[in-house]
Amino acid sequence: MDISKNELIITDGKRIMIYNIENAELINSYTSKYNIDNIKYIEGYRIAFIRNNIIYADKDK
């Protein structure tokens, strides 16, 4: 779980979901074929996620 720019980003291990904190609306959702251990906003609209102790960064939203 991470909070940045009034957005909450969470994962259930397979999906990454981004919610607007002010109105609780789902902004975006990504699905992974791999298990996601942890997630973190890194800069701007980029997200880093960890799986199997390796850090990956996604492309811009």
Side-chain angles (χ1 to χ4, degrees), residues 6-12 15-31 39 41 47 61:
N6 290 327
E7 295 177 355
L8 172 67
I9 176 170
I10 59 175
T11 184
D12 63 1
R15 293 183 306 159
I16 298 173
M17 296 148 290
I18 303 171
Y19 290 92
N20 181 306
I21 293 172
E22 294 176 1
N23 59 19
E25 289 185 9
L26 179 65
I27 297 171
N28 215 333
S29 178
Y30 305 96
T31 303
I39 50 177
Y41 269 114
I47 299 168
K61 299 197 286 188

Side-chain angles (χ1 to χ4, degrees), residues 21-57:
I21 293 172
E22 294 176 1
N23 59 19
E25 289 185 9
L26 179 65
I27 297 171
N28 215 333
S29 178
Y30 305 96
T31 303
S32 173
K33 60 183 176 180
Y34 305 103
N35 286 333
I36 300 167
D37 301 320
N38 199 353
I39 50 177
K40 180 81 175 157
Y41 269 114
I42 52 176
E43 181 179 67
Y45 288 101
R46 299 200 57 173
I47 299 168
F49 60 94
I50 301 169
R51 72 172 189 248
N52 299 327
N53 294 323
I54 300 172
I55 299 172
Y56 299 88

